[in-house]
Amino acid sequence: MTGEKTSRKNVAVLISGRGSNMECLIRASRVETYPARIVGVIASTPAAAGLERAHREGVPTAINRLAEFTDRPAADAAMTRQLHAWKTDIVCLAGFMRILSADFVDHWHGRLINIHPSLLPRFKGLDTHRRALQAGDAEHGCTVHFVEPELDAGPPILQQSLPVLPHDTPQTLAARVLEIEHRIYPEALAMLARGEIALPPAPTKH
Ligand code: GAR
């Protein structure tokens, strides 16, 4: 094994649905010079179509259903155990539509990133494309950011915008934004995996 390969970061991806961003990360990691490898995928539901994609790519998967645990922290602690079993260095949220407990976010501080389909801080939460159209925004886009306890918050790593076109619908806009999501997510992950960016340490709790 070469030194370059052993220094690659182990990355796990958390999904709830289709998994197209997850698939892009897996494909990017197949390039030998890419600084990360995908060691596993956790889905919040067995219905996530991305599980099938992960199987096709030969990536190990696990399911973590909130309903099977006493509460959210217990479910998230089970995810952390699974992530450690995979020797995970970095966790990528890719359409993981479940709020994470503060303990989970603290535990993975600086090693937990998310992609969101808007130019954050605009349009946190759901239905971002419809909301951008309703607001009459001339530009829309997507953001990869470090995760902090508040929903869709945390310092941005990469953000890319595109013009909103006169006849755009939420669907046409979503499709164009998804194309740029697929470009910036592997790029942002590579920046973190190479140590080019870092989140300052979390304040110590007393
Ligand atoms: C993506 O558009 C992602 O930005 C969004 O969910 C979609 C998942 O698609 N994430 C969020 O809205 C997070 N707040 P995918 O499963 O095909 O990657």
Side-chain angles (χ1 to χ4, degrees), residues 58 140 148 170 187 200:
H140 185 46
E148 288 193 335
E187 213 180 305

Side-chain angles (χ1 to χ4, degrees), residues 137-206:
D137 285 10
E139 293 208 311
H140 185 46
C142 54
T143 308
V144 180
H145 63 97
F146 284 108
V147 175
E148 288 193 335
E150 192 200 328
L151 181 73
D152 296 326
I157 299 169
L158 280 181
Q159 188 164 68
Q160 193 171 332
S161 61
L162 47 68
V164 176
L165 303 177
H167 300 294
D168 262 330
T169 64
Q171 291 73 27
T172 59
L173 199 48
R176 290 209 314 291
V177 169
L178 193 64
E179 274 177 35
I180 58 176
E181 289 187 39
H182 292 168
R183 280 208 301 274
I184 71 167
Y185 210 177
E187 213 180 305
L189 172 59
M191 288 164 66
L192 179 61
R194 286 193 203 104
E196 293 167 6
I197 44 162
L199 192 60
T204 334
K205 284 186 188 153
H206 295 288

Side-chain angles (χ1 to χ4, degrees), residues 62-132:
I63 293 165
N64 182 286
R65 289 181 64 219
L66 190 53
E68 284 172 15
F69 297 88
T70 47
D71 54 21
R72 192 179 297 278
D76 290 357
M79 283 206 291
T80 289
R81 285 195 295 277
Q82 176 63 71
L83 293 167
H84 285 311
W86 284 332
K87 302 195 184 324
T88 303
D89 300 306
I90 297 171
V91 181
C92 290
L93 307 181
F96 189 71
M97 305 311 265
R98 187 169 107 191
I99 291 170
L100 291 163
S101 57
D103 280 353
F104 184 90
V105 175
D106 284 351
H107 182 86
W108 294 99
H109 180 89
R111 304 177 288 162
L112 178 60
I113 64 177
N114 179 44
I115 186 148
H116 184 74
S118 78
L119 298 172
L120 289 173
R122 269 183 100 56
F123 311 125
K124 296 177 179 182
L126 298 175
D127 228 359
T128 56
H129 310 299
R130 188 186 52 75
R131 286 159 65 205

Side-chain angles (χ1 to χ4, degrees), residues 8 13 19-34 36-38 41 52-59 182 186 189:
R8 295 174 109 201
V13 187
S20 71
N21 278 290
M22 168 211 75
E23 191 167 33
C24 280
L25 296 177
I26 294 172
R27 297 259 163 96
S29 73
R30 294 269 147 80
V31 176
E32 212 177 328
T33 51
Y34 194 75
R37 66 165 80 84
I38 309 301
V41 169
E52 183 51 42
R53 290 181 186 228
H55 292 153
R56 262 200 323 263
E57 298 288 339
V59 174
H182 292 168
L189 172 59

